[in-house]
Amino acid sequence: MKWSGEYTVNANDIDVNRVVTASQILRYMQDAANWQMETDGLSYDELFVNRGLAFVLSKIRVSMYAPIYSHQKITVESWACPSKGMTFQRCYRILRDGMIVAEAISAWALVGVKDKKLHRVSEFGDQYGTDEPLELDMPARMKIPEEVNLALVGERTVEYADIDMNGHMNNTRYPDMLCSYLDSMLGKRVISMTLHFQSEAPLGETIRVYHGETDGIHYLRTARENGNTNVEAEIIVEEI
């Protein structure tokens, strides 16, 4: 079942180029997902507080077909998709005046807040109903090409402003954070982004950011203090 809601773009959602940021696109989408959960089944708060469970993002592929500007009215849709094993699939769509301006497909894990145990789809049941997934290409595992030379471009300490109720950097913070380590976003906007999360970045930890580029595609990897990969990303931008 698709949930659909109307949003008005806030003036604070835009960047220096006067377009809505990639992180804010994810926030609209995930707010719609939370509304769908609350409307059709267990709300996220009930899931977290009463059942001690949390959905943790594993992968997301976002395509942004047109820029969105301040004070425009948009429709945001979200729906659960048929899932199996330990992977919960969810899709999103944003429309303006009936035209699709952004779409995304994502994969989530359902994790015990305290014991970190992974839960299977069959354990959770069909809480929210399902609809068919979007036909967006999201590989089973994002792989940075071997020929890409990743160079250290900076370090960043996870702060209070980054974290959510799980105590680690919220996934919607990553797009804008990663874009800050590209050469420059002046006069550019993100048109495609794939994020593959491999481990959490908790409060107080410093992550190292690596970047490389080939054929107009930016590749990034962040590494935790223990050397484990935090996230890998593929980003494509275009001139506005």
Side-chain angles (χ1 to χ4, degrees):
M1 296 176 61
K2 290 185 174 71
W3 184 90
S4 178
E6 305 300 318
Y7 293 74
T8 299
V9 177
N10 191 294
N12 297 322
D13 298 340
I14 64 173
D15 66 6
V16 65
N17 302 303
R18 299 175 48 248
V19 301
V20 171
T21 71
S23 279
Q24 189 58 45
I25 293 290
L26 259 62
R27 292 186 190 111
Y28 291 138
M29 290 177 170
Q30 292 184 25
D31 186 67
N34 283 356
W35 274 111
Q36 195 254 342
M37 292 174 68
E38 186 169 329
T39 302
D40 297 333
L42 284 171
S43 71
Y44 195 80
D45 279 348
E46 290 175 306
L47 187 72
F48 187 87
V49 176
N50 298 337
R51 296 204 178 187
L53 299 172
F55 279 112
V56 177
L57 183 60
S58 173
K59 293 175 293 185
I60 188 165
R61 175 68 178 268
V62 189
S63 294
M64 288 162 266
Y65 308 122
I68 304 173
Y69 300 99
S70 177
H71 297 162
Q72 289 186 330
K73 296 187 182 301
I74 56 175
T75 300
V76 186
E77 299 176 342
S78 181
W79 64 97
C81 304
S83 303
K84 62 182 179 180
M86 293 184 176
T87 301
F88 293 76
Q89 303 274 356
R90 177 170 284 276
C91 287
Y92 313 85
R93 180 179 284 141
I94 298 179
L95 302 96
R96 180 183 58 215
D97 298 327
M99 181 182 74
I100 299 171
V101 293
E103 292 180 309
I105 184 169
S106 62
W108 299 75
L110 185 62
V111 183
V113 175
K114 293 183 178 179
D115 61 13
K116 304 301 179 184
K117 176 186 174 183
L118 292 172
H119 292 262
R120 302 182 67 85
V121 172
S122 57
E123 295 176 54
F124 192 62
D126 186 8
Q127 291 282 336
Y128 307 111
T130 59
D131 249 302
E132 289 304 305
L134 295 169
E135 295 183 1
L136 292 179
D137 180 26
M138 186 172 68
R141 187 187 187 284
M142 203 201 88
K143 187 175 181 181
I144 297 176
E146 293 182 1
E147 66 270 18
V148 175
N149 181 29
L150 292 178
L152 179 65
V153 291
E155 294 185 345
R156 190 180 192 284
T157 300
V158 180
E159 301 175 345
Y160 158 77
D162 299 320
I163 62 172
D164 56 23
M165 66 179 87
N166 293 316
H168 58 75
M169 186 184 289
N170 184 268
N171 66 80
T172 65
R173 299 287 180 184
Y174 282 87
D176 289 353
M177 184 271 285
L178 293 172
C179 284
S180 297
Y181 292 96
L182 304 186
D183 296 334
S184 173
M185 284 298 294
L186 292 176
K188 300 174 185 177
R189 73 177 188 93
V190 175
I191 61 171
S192 176
M193 175 176 284
T194 301
L195 301 174
H196 180 199
F197 295 90
Q198 298 186 37
S199 63
E200 299 171 348
L203 177 66
E205 182 154 326
T206 298
I207 56 175
R208 298 185 302 280
V209 184
Y210 297 85
H211 170 259
E213 182 183 0
T214 184
D215 297 328
I217 302 175
H218 296 274
Y219 295 94
L220 297 106
R221 176 183 292 138
T222 60
R224 297 183 56 191
E225 292 173 359
N226 61 9
N228 291 342
T229 297
N230 165 226
V231 67
E232 290 185 334
E234 175 190 294
I235 302 174
I236 302 175
V237 301
E238 72 170 12
E239 300 284 342
I240 297 176

